[in-house]
Every structure is written in C-alpha cells, then in structure tokens.
Amino acid sequence: MRSASRPNRAGRFGCDTMATSKNSRLTDRQFARIARALAEPRRYKILEQIGAYDGPVPCSKLQQAHAVSAATLSHHIKELETAGLVEIARDGKFMNLIVRRDVLRAYLNRLAKI
C-alpha cells in the first residue's frame, strides 16, 4: 500500500491526500490537512494569490510577492499540495501552480455544515 505522503509514478499523491472530482467528499484526514494548511496566514495568502489567476501561476511570481527564502516558499507550496489545494505543473525546472477548486469547494461545503 502506498503512503499518502509519497508520490506515485505519475508524481501524484495517494488518493487519500485529496478529493479527485467535483462531487467528491473529503475524508476526515483530508479535511484536517486542509484546515492545518490554511491555518498558516502565509499559505492562505499564497493560495489567494494563485486563485486570483485564471490559469497556472509561475512560482517565480509568488517569490516576487513574498519576502521569504525560496526554501520557505517551497515548504509552504508543498504543504498546500499535500493538502490537495494546489496542483503543480512542471515545465522543465520551472513550476506552475493551479488551485484545485474542486477540493476547495468540497472543503467549504463541509465547513458550511458545521
């Protein structure tokens, strides 16, 4: 069985890491991961910035907007990816980020039921 924190051959994380379709329901674990990721104000700002664009956002654009080291930004992006909130599209050595709106909607729908 593959660990949820390790990518499969396609570079995707195990299915317990994120919802995969618009009608998917989040598991308790997925819900908790998203809540933890968004509890960090800088991650929330990063997600908000990525979400402001219709298409993929180059990581370099995020680096310009946040006064943190590349390693720190990479850590925050990895946490958002692990939570299933962003998808990383690689183009050679460059990274482009896309908000997983289906996962964000599923999180918001579950949160609204509280």
Side-chain angles (χ1 to χ4, degrees), residues 22-95:
K22 291 181 182 177
N23 297 325
S24 291
R25 296 179 60 163
L26 298 175
T27 65
D28 291 342
R29 186 175 182 179
Q30 291 167 330
F31 185 78
R33 281 186 179 172
I34 293 170
R36 277 193 304 271
L38 294 178
E40 166 61 47
R42 187 172 309 272
R43 285 186 208 132
Y44 175 81
K45 283 293 192 191
I46 291 168
L47 185 65
E48 187 176 46
Q49 185 179 4
I50 298 167
Y53 291 85
D54 289 331
V57 178
C59 190
S60 59
K61 190 170 274 296
L62 296 174
Q63 182 67 42
Q64 295 167 0
H66 299 276
V68 295
S69 69
T72 299
L73 182 61
S74 178
H75 168 73
H76 288 308
I77 290 169
K78 187 66 173 172
E79 291 296 318
L80 292 170
E81 181 189 30
T82 299
L85 292 169
V86 297
E87 183 177 337
I88 297 175
R90 296 196 184 273
D91 183 19
K93 67 178 183 174
F94 301 103
M95 246 180 13

